[in-house]
Amino acid sequence: MLGFLAASLGSLEFINESYTLYRQHSENVVGSSTVSGIHAILQSFWGQNQLMNARACDVLETFSSISDKNKKVLKEFIKLNHVGLLGRFKVIIKYRYRYSLGGKLYSLFGNLLLLSNIGNKGVK
């Protein structure tokens, strides 16, 4: 939520330092899983995508001071699951979505998943 809020109201900058301690345990939402392999990767990616989608909706509904340009960015991200291949391709190329977890390779993989919708159970 904070990332969408910051991006919508101002800008984001990457800080390459850890400010929190992290301990993996069985109740983690991300990280710990009984599912493995490609299924786990797809499940994790689309789960995070659904969360980001919900956060984008929350930001649009909660903050009226967002610029029209940033509203459009959020609305186009929200619509990604509901448009065809060409529509997804145009939006992905236009905004060049980046994912903070794994650098350029993860961003490329994420954009390919967004484009293809492989494993996306949230598609309507």
Side-chain angles (χ1 to χ4, degrees):
M1 174 86 169
L2 291 176
F4 272 118
L5 183 57
S8 298
L9 299 175
S11 65
L12 290 174
E13 293 191 31
F14 179 71
I15 301 172
N16 195 18
E17 295 178 38
S18 177
Y19 289 97
T20 59
L21 297 175
Y22 178 77
R23 181 177 60 87
Q24 188 164 335
H25 54 83
S26 63
E27 300 300 316
N28 285 7
V29 175
V30 176
S32 178
S33 176
T34 57
V35 181
S36 62
I38 191 71
H39 181 69
I41 293 168
L42 292 174
Q43 188 177 29
S44 175
F45 178 83
W46 290 116
Q48 290 299 316
N49 182 268
Q50 288 176 344
L51 286 173
M52 288 189 297
N53 213 298
R55 298 300 180 256
C57 291
D58 291 344
V59 168
L60 283 173
E61 291 173 9
T62 306
F63 299 96
S64 59
S65 61
I66 297 172
S67 71
D68 289 340
K69 178 183 172 185
N70 288 335
K71 284 180 186 177
K72 183 177 180 184
V73 172
L74 290 173
K75 287 177 181 178
E76 288 190 10
F77 177 77
I78 292 166
K79 289 191 320 185
L80 275 177
N81 286 342
H82 310 286
V83 296
L85 178 67
L86 184 58
R88 290 191 306 273
F89 181 76
K90 287 178 180 178
V91 171
I92 290 167
I93 293 299
K94 182 177 181 179
Y95 295 113
R96 300 177 189 257
Y97 293 120
R98 291 184 207 116
Y99 296 88
S100 61
L101 294 176
K104 291 180 182 178
L105 185 59
Y106 190 84
S107 290
L108 175 63
F109 180 70
N111 283 322
L112 288 174
L113 283 177
L114 281 175
L115 181 61
S116 67
N117 262 338
I118 292 173
N120 185 1
K121 295 178 180 168
V123 176
K124 295 183 173 147

